[in-house]
Amino acid sequence: MDYDDRALKKHKELKGKLSIQLKDIPDTKDKLSLYYTPGVAAVSRFVASHPDNARDYTWLNNCVAVISDGSAVLGLGNIGPYGAMPVMEGKCMLFKHFADIDAVPIILDVHRADEIVAAVKAIAPSFGGINLEDIAAPICFEVEERLKAELNIPVFHDDQHGTAIVVLAGIINALKLRDRYNISECRITIVGSGAAGTAIASLLELYGATDIVMVDSKGIIGPARQDLNTEKKNLLRFNAHGLEGTLEDAVRDAHIFIGVSQAGILTKDMIQTMQDRPIVFAMANPAPEIMPYEAKAAGAFIVATGRSDFPNQINNALAFPGIFRGALDNGITAITDEHKIAAAEAIASLVENPTTELIVPSVLDDRLVPSIAKVIL
Amino acid sequence: MDYDDRALKKHKELKGKLSIQLKDIPDTKDKLSLYYTPGVAAVSRFVASHPDNARDYTWLNNCVAVISDGSAVLGLGNIGPYGAMPVMEGKCMLFKHFADIDAVPIILDVHRADEIVAAVKAIAPSFGGINLEDIAAPICFEVEERLKAELNIPVFHDDQHGTAIVVLAGIINALKLRDRYNISECRITIVGSGAAGTAIASLLELYGATDIVMVDSKGIIGPARQDLNTEKKNLLRFNAHGLEGTLEDAVRDAHIFIGVSQAGILTKDMIQTMQDRPIVFAMANPAPEIMPYEAKAAGAFIVATGRSDFPNQINNALAFPGIFRGALDNGITAITDEHKIAAAEAIASLVENPTTELIVPSVLDDRLVPSIAKVIL
């Protein structure tokens, strides 16, 4: 049975991956009366008059919503809320397994930014944190910005920041190995200018990058482009030398290639035009921008992908469980840029002796969550 | 330690009553790849193109949202979403314990009917059913009506229909015992004209009642009243004889008293003006409209309350677990009036030999859920 069939069979057998568990079983009249009426009235009265203490008396202290409108699910595109549900349940599974966080999948039947913001704000008191997931760019930017500004619980769009944090962790260790390269002197070419690409550029800039060339399906995002929307115009600031042109032009002379785009767009010939022994993160899923053995054959020094069957898997699951564990445990109301950099450094530090085949830890490394959580302060 | 202190202590100790449980533990790379990327993509693709099958591959088949805006929590009034959370978690606990349904508490930070409807519609694909809870009248009526019309999953405002179903179950057995009374010949006085009172009147009318006098804080809802809002004007149709006047006028000559109002408003003197050996349901919580021993002393034949420490507890938990179990298992998209009557009859039938002290089964009776579920067809 092939992989897809196995996944379908397993999901149908389980009929979903999550269930609700009770912390105590209300199997006596006394327990029913304590946990429900009339006893719960005392708890409700107390919480109503001390809303900041709601966390101590309800599951808010450990509960995160994983919210998607299904508009950019995996590499499948806009497949709608029902199509998103298996992925959101899977994400909740990772939250529970890796960080013991009770995550609830919420799929939305609205797709405009103002509608998504209104719906999430309306239900926000139900949760201790909000993980936005698989919402298409550019709407995801406005949604996250507004929710961060208007809610007092952490809001984190994982496709942006989870990806950016893990990329930075990988870059930190890659640059340790490729020790002639300092990030401030590197040209970094990022192909894919949606949620992930934009967040990666922003975080690398914060970490010291000064020359980031962003590329979308029409070529380099340069000052001569007439077709840029507001979000893409914001990316022009990364392009320190005002570069214009094609993907080939963007890759030529770059030290670092970061792909969050599509299968096969990076060729061996292009890698040979990059700086000496370049760093190549080819993270398109499921098929990368170039296969690792081809990239290596063309001279790449370090290759990372999004896949578990190659070395150096750049996987958001390295970051988000620890980020939210720390935010919930430490009562953090917003995930800041400083948190993101600290998390990337914490992830990178878990690889004591990086090699070209080992720049990030395994997602199964049980030091990850505590190491990250303790820097989300 | 008194009751309230015990409830507070227990809730703080548990830090909430719910958690998420995984149906399988993703502790290998293979399982991670089946339940999350890349394997889950096949499931998402399939569900996106067959949304009616989402139930078979996700927890939608067993998942209900328990939704409140905190505007009418227990007898505590409008205490806001955080105050509602302990009650909603408690309700979810009952859903799980009694019916093995995975219920998720959702508290809303919006309170206008259109905002509540928009928020619930936005998140509705996340759930297999919607249990509305503790939303104040008259907003609750518009919210439920619109959601029922606009969603294709069961929407059930338990404060209305759960209460009405259990009251009808109790009335069915009470009338078996008081066998000279036929429901079509009884005057039924309902004190309290909010969500519960309105739904009780509607269901009793469907079951054959023809003379229902509704009372609110200003007296009988009669045709001369100038202060009635739209919802209360709708209640005039129950008042077959156009009765006007006070609570006393409403109770005089009634066969059945149903109170969903407030403590102590029904006196022994008033009961003595009712028909011979009347039926008295005094369901105000925590203190009933009249204490059972007083009602009995004044001549009441059968007395029911909302309390577990007296006989004949009229408790919504008798109904809602089985209603939703049936709706989910049988793929029902709306709870109809016929379902409500069938559920009430199913509950009543579980008391093989009703007595004046036993007109409804115990909430701990494990025949309840299967007996009700099988009539929700």
Side-chain angles (χ1 to χ4, degrees):
Chain A
M1 196 182 297
D2 80 7
Y3 213 70
D4 288 359
D5 287 339
R6 279 178 62 214
L8 279 162
K9 181 166 180 291
K10 196 72 191 167
H11 281 77
K12 191 162 185 177
E13 182 186 313
L14 294 183
K15 290 173 108 15
K17 293 171 281 202
L18 310 176
S19 65
I20 291 287
Q21 185 172 34
L22 303 182
K23 293 190 183 172
D24 192 14
I25 307 301
D27 54 0
T28 64
K29 284 218 169 189
D30 185 59
K31 284 189 186 177
L32 279 172
S33 303
L34 280 179
Y35 293 134
Y36 200 56
T37 56
V40 75
V43 184
S44 282
R45 264 195 311 268
F46 179 81
V47 169
S49 56
H50 303 80
D52 290 346
N53 293 110
R55 295 166 51 93
D56 298 329
Y57 294 86
T58 69
W59 80 336
L60 283 179
N61 62 81
N62 199 43
C63 186
V64 166
V66 174
I67 303 183
S68 179
D69 73 337
S71 58
V73 178
L74 305 176
L76 306 173
N78 185 359
I79 62 171
Y82 290 108
M85 192 62 168
V87 180
M88 299 311 124
E89 270 198 73
K91 188 93 179 190
C92 293
M93 189 178 224
L94 304 192
F95 264 112
K96 185 69 185 180
H97 182 61
F98 290 123
D100 197 25
I101 287 170
D102 300 309
V104 175
I106 300 287
I107 49 176
L108 298 177
D109 205 15
V110 290
H111 302 282
R112 292 205 328 255
D114 58 342
E115 295 171 321
I116 295 175
V117 168
V120 175
K121 282 183 65 180
I123 64 171
S126 319
F127 305 103
I130 305 279
N131 181 103
L132 300 173
E133 193 79 19
D134 291 1
I135 299 175
I139 279 178
C140 63
F141 303 120
E142 180 184 344
V143 166
E144 194 199 33
E145 264 171 47
R146 286 184 51 192
L147 289 174
K148 282 174 83 90
E150 296 175 34
L151 293 176
N152 65 348
I153 54 174
V155 175
F156 185 81
H157 183 204
D158 191 46
D159 304 279
Q160 291 183 63
H161 311 299
T163 310
I165 289 166
V166 182
V167 165
L168 176 57
I171 294 291
I172 288 170
N173 279 339
L175 290 175
K176 279 185 203 154
L177 291 163
R178 188 75 186 87
D179 56 5
R180 288 216 209 139
Y181 288 178
N182 182 303
I183 194 165
S184 66
E185 294 158 7
C186 288
R187 168 161 299 168
I188 302 172
T189 296
I190 299 179
V191 183
S193 301
T198 300
I200 292 166
S202 298
L203 196 61
L204 293 177
E205 181 187 46
L206 279 169
Y207 199 71
T210 58
D211 180 6
I212 302 173
V213 179
M214 308 281 302
V215 181
D216 67 9
S217 59
K218 306 216 172 61
I220 293 172
I221 297 184
R225 286 270 295 267
Q226 297 300 315
D227 61 331
L228 301 177
N229 62 19
T230 310
E231 289 76 15
K232 289 200 173 167
K233 280 185 186 144
N234 287 337
L235 304 179
L236 288 171
R237 78 168 194 276
F238 298 120
N239 187 346
H241 303 285
L243 214 66
E244 307 277 358
T246 63
L247 171 63
E248 284 79 0
D249 298 319
V251 170
R252 188 181 312 118
D253 297 329
H255 303 77
I256 299 174
F257 171 94
I258 294 173
V260 280
S261 55
Q262 53 180 298
I265 59 147
L266 186 66
T267 64
K268 289 169 75 170
D269 287 349
M270 287 189 231
I271 288 183
Q272 283 162 355
T273 70
M274 292 178 73
Q275 299 283 344
D276 179 46
R277 292 192 292 161
I279 294 164
V280 174
F281 283 24
M283 300 182 293
N285 268 321
E289 284 81 356
I290 185 168
M291 293 300 274
Y293 66 90
E294 290 188 304
K296 288 276 189 165
F301 175 62
I302 288 170
V303 183
T305 70
R307 283 169 56 145
S308 58
D309 51 350
F310 296 132
N312 299 331
Q313 186 191 12
I314 303 299
N315 184 333
N316 292 21
L318 291 167
F320 71 79
I323 300 269
F324 273 97
R325 182 74 275 158
L328 291 171
D329 288 352
N330 304 325
I332 299 302
T333 56
I335 313 294
T336 64
D337 290 334
E338 291 69 32
H339 289 140
K340 294 174 207 162
I341 289 174
E345 288 174 333
I347 294 167
S349 73
L350 293 178
V351 186
E352 287 87 353
N353 298 298
T355 69
T356 57
E357 309 290 294
L358 184 67
I359 57 169
V360 287
S362 158
V363 294
L364 301 174
D365 188 327
D366 59 15
R367 301 169 303 166
L368 273 166
V369 168
S371 299
I372 299 169
K374 74 180 182 199
V375 301
I376 309 299
L377 280 175
Chain B
M1 196 182 297
D2 80 8
Y3 213 70
D4 287 0
D5 287 340
R6 280 177 61 214
L8 279 161
K9 181 166 180 290
K10 196 72 191 168
H11 281 77
K12 191 162 186 178
E13 182 186 313
L14 295 184
K15 289 171 113 8
K17 293 171 281 203
L18 310 176
S19 64
I20 290 287
Q21 185 172 34
L22 303 181
K23 293 189 184 174
D24 192 14
I25 306 302
D27 54 359
T28 64
K29 284 217 170 192
D30 185 58
K31 284 188 185 177
L32 279 173
S33 302
L34 280 180
Y35 292 134
Y36 201 56
T37 56
V40 74
V43 183
S44 282
R45 263 196 311 269
F46 179 81
V47 169
S49 55
H50 303 78
D52 290 346
N53 294 110
R55 296 166 51 92
D56 298 330
Y57 294 86
T58 69
W59 80 337
L60 282 180
N61 61 81
N62 199 44
C63 186
V64 166
V66 174
I67 303 183
S68 180
D69 73 337
S71 59
V73 178
L74 305 176
L76 305 173
N78 185 358
I79 61 172
Y82 290 108
M85 191 63 168
V87 180
M88 299 311 124
E89 271 197 72
K91 187 95 180 191
C92 293
M93 190 179 224
L94 304 192
F95 264 112
K96 185 70 185 181
H97 182 62
F98 290 124
D100 198 25
I101 287 170
D102 300 310
V104 175
I106 300 287
I107 48 177
L108 298 178
D109 206 15
V110 291
H111 303 281
R112 292 205 328 255
D114 58 341
E115 294 172 322
I116 295 175
V117 168
V120 175
K121 281 182 67 180
I123 64 171
S126 318
F127 305 102
I130 306 280
N131 181 102
L132 300 173
E133 193 79 19
D134 291 359
I135 300 175
I139 279 177
C140 63
F141 303 119
E142 180 184 345
V143 166
E144 195 200 35
E145 264 171 46
R146 286 183 52 192
L147 290 173
K148 283 175 81 90
E150 296 175 35
L151 293 176
N152 65 348
I153 55 174
V155 176
F156 185 80
H157 183 205
D158 190 47
D159 303 280
Q160 291 183 63
H161 310 299
T163 310
I165 289 166
V166 182
V167 165
L168 176 56
I171 293 290
I172 289 171
N173 279 339
L175 290 175
K176 279 185 203 154
L177 291 164
R178 188 73 186 87
D179 56 5
R180 288 215 208 139
Y181 289 177
N182 182 304
I183 195 165
S184 67
E185 295 158 6
C186 287
R187 168 162 298 168
I188 302 172
T189 295
I190 299 178
V191 182
S193 300
T198 301
I200 292 166
S202 298
L203 195 60
L204 292 177
E205 181 187 47
L206 278 169
Y207 199 70
T210 58
D211 180 6
I212 302 172
V213 179
M214 308 280 302
V215 180
D216 67 10
S217 59
K218 304 213 173 66
I220 292 172
I221 296 181
R225 287 268 298 265
Q226 298 300 314
D227 62 329
L228 302 177
N229 63 19
T230 309
E231 289 76 15
K232 290 203 172 164
K233 280 185 187 144
N234 287 338
L235 304 180
L236 288 171
R237 78 168 193 276
F238 298 121
N239 188 346
H241 302 286
L243 214 65
E244 307 279 358
T246 63
L247 171 62
E248 284 78 1
D249 298 320
V251 171
R252 188 181 313 118
D253 297 330
H255 302 78
I256 299 174
F257 171 95
I258 294 173
V260 281
S261 55
Q262 53 181 299
I265 60 147
L266 187 65
T267 65
K268 289 169 74 169
D269 288 348
M270 287 189 233
I271 289 184
Q272 284 163 354
T273 70
M274 293 178 72
Q275 299 282 344
D276 179 47
R277 291 191 292 158
I279 294 163
V280 173
F281 282 24
M283 300 182 292
N285 268 320
E289 285 81 356
I290 185 167
M291 293 300 274
Y293 66 90
E294 289 188 305
K296 289 275 189 164
F301 176 61
I302 288 170
V303 183
T305 71
R307 282 168 57 146
S308 59
D309 50 350
F310 295 134
N312 298 332
Q313 186 190 11
I314 302 299
N315 184 333
N316 292 21
L318 291 166
F320 71 79
I323 299 269
F324 274 96
R325 183 73 278 157
L328 291 171
D329 289 352
N330 303 325
I332 298 302
T333 56
I335 312 294
T336 64
D337 291 334
E338 291 68 33
H339 289 139
K340 293 174 208 162
I341 288 174
E345 289 174 332
I347 294 167
S349 73
L350 293 178
V351 186
E352 287 87 352
N353 297 299
T355 68
T356 57
E357 310 290 292
L358 185 67
I359 57 170
V360 287
S362 158
V363 294
L364 301 174
D365 188 327
D366 59 14
R367 300 169 304 165
L368 273 166
V369 169
S371 300
I372 299 170
K374 75 179 181 198
V375 301
I376 309 298
L377 280 174

